[in-house]
Amino acid sequence: MARNVKSDTVVYQIYPRSYMDSDGDGIGDIPGIISRLDYIASLGVNTIWLSPVYASPDDDNGYDISDYKAIQPHFGTMEDFDRLIAEARARGIDIVMDLVINHTSDEHEWFRRALAGEEKYRNYYIIKEGKGGKLPNNWGNFFAECPWTKFGDSENEYYLHLFSKKQPDLNWHNPDVLAEIEDIMHFWLEKGVAGFRCDVINIIYKNSYEDGKKKLILTGSEHYLSTDGCHEILAKLRSACLEPYKAWAVGETVFVDIDQARKLTDVDRGELDMAFSFEHMEVDQVIVKWFRTKLKPKKLMRTISKWQTGLDWNAVYFENHDQPRFISRLVGARGYREEASKMMAGLVMTLRGTPFIFEGQEIGMTNFDYEDMSDVMDIESHNIYNLLSSLHLPKRLRWRMIRLTSRDNARTPMQWTDGEHAGFTEGTPWLKVNGNHKTVNVKTEERKADGVLAFWKRMIALRKTSDALKEGGFEPLYEGGRIYAYRRRCEGESLVAIFNMTAKEAKLPRALKVEGEVIASNYDTHGDALLPFEFELIREEA
Ligand code: TEU
């Protein structure tokens, strides 16, 4: 089997709630996205990944699906969706759907019918008896709540939910579940979607429901991370759904190591085209994601190189709807937002793999500027905050942790203009816009010949014309305290990318002498030392 994703695919992720509101209800929608397709096309990207737009009670902003074949009414109608596909295609842009199949919403018809006592649908979920007055097992939960909730009125039965209690896990031991999901995938593929981003795909198949070895987080995960059953299901979904349409799939694969990711993306096994790994997002993390320390560039470089050399093809990303803005992690309060944003464009567009750009990254959007929990909407952040309160952590510390790690950092509305609500809505936005929209916004960027947006566009365009960037191998050259360098080479072209990943000037190490022409950079002049967050792409002499 071959990989279905093409080497020139560049993906732009849209979090529909926060992108563009067309009807003034404060929530982004599909007509809003359609109205921005010319802008998206102007970036040079050729694929959009849409975070979920299916019907949902929105306990987790659409990652709790109540009908896989319907559009969330506040996002629009199925006609709007069909129009989106057609209008995007007219601009050479594919649509990739988010596929959330570890769990449904508790308001999905299957769960309702299970609750109503229909045996067939009980079997779609994981319902277990409590043990001696206790829960069925000692597992942990991704959202820091209890993963077992009483099933309906039952005395001693619980259903498993690794996320919120409104997200019951599906029972992937049941072949009917597989058949349902295949049907759903065919439905969207028939509409012309180019593939799927598969939510927490490596945890869908639970090997057993025994107690897990006690851990600080996610006790029990050894029973469901990248199990053989999961590999089997992925292979089936590929041959039954993806292959007939030559569609591709990227897996969100939590807690994977290189070996697991290699297996999940091995072309001959025919499962996923590529996987989102997390190790590079955890370089500033201490044990769990809510404890952050300063980002150490060398650790970041080493992690990037490890995955670049360890996997044949990577899903290259530094931002998405779950992660704080990477720019904020990189520069903190030190300034250099523009320089660092451009440097990140250089990094994303020159690594080997499929680049994913998250909405707003292309104009250098940063973490939210809220000062209080009342502005935060994310269920995970609220759960954590409550947990920390129950542990009597001082309010200041609690808030600091939320501020640095909340998923809402990435979910603030897209900043289109310097006007009211950043031009995102004429109503009241569901989540407050960042005050820096006065200076950081698309309209302002579009007027700048050398702005962050212009630089992203240039890097996206450059990648399209370069075989070394699209297909060439990756060779790490230097990983220092400040400077990172690697070579991308294919027959006939050799490029070296050099980065100063810090806010201080850094001397070019003697070991790193590269001869050639600078073909892209975020600074005009180049000396022996790299300026703060300087990026250079050098075409080596043949
Ligand atoms: O995320 C799964 C996941 O493990 C994390 O990224 C999650 O956001 C959290 O940080 C766990 O501590 C996916 C989606 O991307 C996320 O938005 C959903 O909330 C989640 O699955 C459940 O569907």
Side-chain angles (χ1 to χ4, degrees):
M1 241 180 247
R3 199 174 286 120
N4 287 344
V5 70
K6 300 202 183 66
S7 64
D8 65 357
T9 295
V10 180
V11 186
Y12 184 67
Q13 184 195 350
I14 292 184
Y15 195 66
R17 277 184 91 79
S18 302
Y19 200 59
M20 183 63 210
D21 177 22
S22 73
D23 58 5
D25 67 356
I27 299 175
D29 47 43
I30 295 173
I33 297 172
I34 295 173
S35 73
R36 298 297 143 134
L37 280 174
D38 285 337
Y39 166 75
I40 298 167
S42 80
L43 301 175
V45 303
N46 48 24
T47 307
I48 290 173
W49 149 26
L50 275 186
S51 275
V53 290
Y54 314 93
S56 160
D58 272 345
D59 191 49
D60 186 20
N61 292 352
Y63 283 87
D64 47 322
I65 299 171
S66 53
D67 186 346
Y68 288 87
K69 291 185 184 171
I71 298 292
Q72 170 71 290
H74 57 227
F75 288 158
T77 61
M78 195 57 90
E79 287 70 48
D80 292 330
F81 182 84
D82 292 338
R83 200 154 55 86
L84 173 64
I85 293 242
E87 296 262 350
R89 180 168 297 150
R91 293 164 177 84
I93 296 172
D94 284 339
I95 302 287
V96 164
M97 297 292 273
D98 216 307
L99 188 68
V100 188
I101 55 176
N102 175 67
H103 43 266
T104 68
S105 162
D106 66 339
E107 296 182 34
H108 193 288
E109 192 196 344
W110 302 335
F111 198 73
R112 289 181 198 261
R113 292 176 76 166
L115 280 174
E118 282 189 52
E119 199 51 37
K120 173 176 162 73
Y121 292 103
R122 270 182 67 100
N123 246 327
Y124 276 37
Y125 295 93
I126 300 164
I127 298 161
K128 301 279 168 203
E129 297 258 310
K131 278 189 193 154
K134 291 214 211 109
L135 299 170
N137 65 27
N138 68 349
W139 291 10
N141 168 291
F142 281 75
F143 284 167
E145 45 183 81
C146 173
W148 294 102
T149 293
K150 275 263 167 73
F151 183 66
D153 301 329
S154 122
E155 280 289 295
N156 192 32
E157 278 182 331
Y158 298 82
Y159 66 91
L160 176 72
H161 54 92
L162 289 178
F163 294 86
S164 99
K165 63 174 180 301
K166 286 185 69 63
Q167 294 168 300
D169 281 44
L170 283 164
N171 172 18
W172 278 95
H173 289 254
N174 180 352
D176 289 350
V177 168
L178 177 68
E180 295 272 14
I181 300 299
E182 286 183 358
D183 175 56
I184 288 162
M185 289 172 76
H186 282 137
F187 175 85
W188 293 101
L189 287 162
E190 276 301 308
K191 284 194 175 287
V193 308
F196 299 95
R197 174 267 186 189
C198 308
D199 193 61
V200 287
I201 198 66
N202 63 324
I203 69 170
I204 60 174
Y205 190 92
K206 284 79 179 169
N207 265 342
S208 94
Y209 299 97
E210 297 296 303
D211 276 353
K213 217 167 65 216
K214 276 246 162 66
K215 284 190 291 211
L216 200 56
I217 51 155
L218 292 181
T219 294
S221 55
E222 67 272 30
H223 296 312
Y224 57 76
L225 283 179
S226 309
T227 56
D228 288 345
C230 174
H231 286 291
E232 267 171 44
I233 289 161
L234 286 175
K236 283 184 186 155
L237 292 179
R238 184 159 199 108
S239 55
C241 304
L242 300 180
E243 276 312 313
Y245 296 84
K246 289 282 163 254
W248 58 265
V250 54
E252 187 206 22
T253 49
V254 288
F255 300 102
V256 278
D257 58 27
I258 291 234
D259 289 337
Q260 289 160 346
R262 204 178 283 134
K263 207 168 153 187
L264 287 160
T265 58
D266 180 341
V267 172
D268 296 327
R269 293 178 61 89
E271 299 177 17
L272 297 167
D273 288 77
M274 58 194 150
F276 287 122
S277 61
F278 283 74
E279 203 179 329
H280 66 298
M281 301 308 284
E282 292 165 357
V283 291
D284 53 356
Q285 168 178 313
V286 188
I287 311 172
V288 289
K289 71 174 235 182
W290 298 285
F291 296 101
R292 297 276 165 165
T293 139
K294 238 172 86 182
L295 191 140
K296 297 199 180 63
K298 193 166 180 173
K299 201 163 163 200
L300 176 65
M301 299 168 198
R302 287 203 166 146
T303 311
I304 295 172
S305 292
K306 174 176 152 192
W307 283 82
Q308 284 280 308
T309 47
L311 281 191
D312 180 45
W313 194 256
N314 276 272
V316 177
Y317 81 101
F318 290 87
E319 291 192 7
N320 64 32
H321 64 292
D322 289 334
Q323 297 286 342
R325 293 282 182 182
F326 201 77
I327 280 308
S328 300
R329 295 161 73 164
L330 199 60
V331 304
R334 281 168 297 172
Y336 299 111
R337 184 192 61 85
E338 292 204 31
E339 291 82 353
S341 297
K342 291 177 184 171
M343 185 199 80
M344 287 309 294
L347 184 65
V348 172
M349 299 315 295
T350 61
L351 287 170
R352 181 177 159 86
T354 301
F356 287 78
I357 305 162
F358 179 63
E359 62 179 43
Q361 191 176 4
E362 77 275 20
I363 54 168
M365 277 176 64
T366 60
N367 280 352
F368 63 54
D369 51 357
Y370 312 151
E371 284 171 8
D372 191 85
M373 209 49 205
S374 60
D375 286 328
V376 175
M377 297 290 164
D378 179 27
I379 178 174
E380 181 189 73
S381 301
H382 280 279
N383 282 354
I384 291 301
Y385 192 81
N386 293 341
L387 178 76
L388 298 173
S389 306
S390 69
L391 297 173
H392 303 293
L393 209 76
K395 193 168 173 200
R396 202 176 42 85
L397 269 182
R398 265 182 274 157
W399 174 243
R400 195 187 129 77
M401 285 163 86
I402 296 297
R403 192 167 50 77
L404 291 179
T405 62
S406 173
R407 305 191 298 180
D408 278 355
N409 278 307
R411 299 174 180 184
T412 58
M414 179 71 184
Q415 294 167 200
W416 296 105
T417 69
D418 60 2
E420 200 180 9
H421 306 315
F424 160 72
T425 180
E426 288 179 358
T428 308
W430 72 277
L431 185 67
K432 260 178 46 185
V433 298
N434 193 317
N436 71 8
H437 71 275
K438 294 274 172 226
T439 48
V440 181
N441 65 71
V442 171
K443 202 163 153 211
T444 306
E445 282 295 321
E446 279 182 332
R447 284 198 213 108
K448 290 193 208 158
D450 62 348
V452 174
L453 180 63
F455 197 78
W456 269 99
K457 287 185 185 174
R458 220 174 301 145
M459 287 309 303
I460 295 168
L462 185 78
R463 190 179 185 280
K464 273 193 196 152
T465 59
S466 162
D467 287 341
L469 293 183
K470 280 185 292 189
E471 323 227 332
F474 172 93
E475 188 190 329
L477 295 179
Y478 193 83
E479 290 147 7
R482 299 184 186 285
I483 291 188
Y484 187 33
Y486 50 80
R487 179 177 283 123
R488 298 293 316 278
R489 180 164 36 192
C490 67
E491 223 186 278
E493 191 182 22
S494 178
L495 302 176
V496 172
I498 308 182
F499 307 82
N500 174 2
M501 293 210 155
T502 70
K504 287 206 179 116
E505 250 188 60
K507 266 226 143 24
L508 267 177
R510 235 199 293 266
L512 190 67
K513 276 280 168 271
V514 187
E515 301 289 332
E517 180 200 353
V518 178
I519 58 166
S521 174
N522 51 354
Y523 283 93
D524 291 337
T525 53
H526 306 286
D528 284 345
L530 290 190
L531 297 168
F533 298 106
E534 181 165 346
F535 155 68
E536 287 178 16
L537 186 65
I538 299 168
R539 173 166 286 132
E540 288 189 296
E541 284 156 10

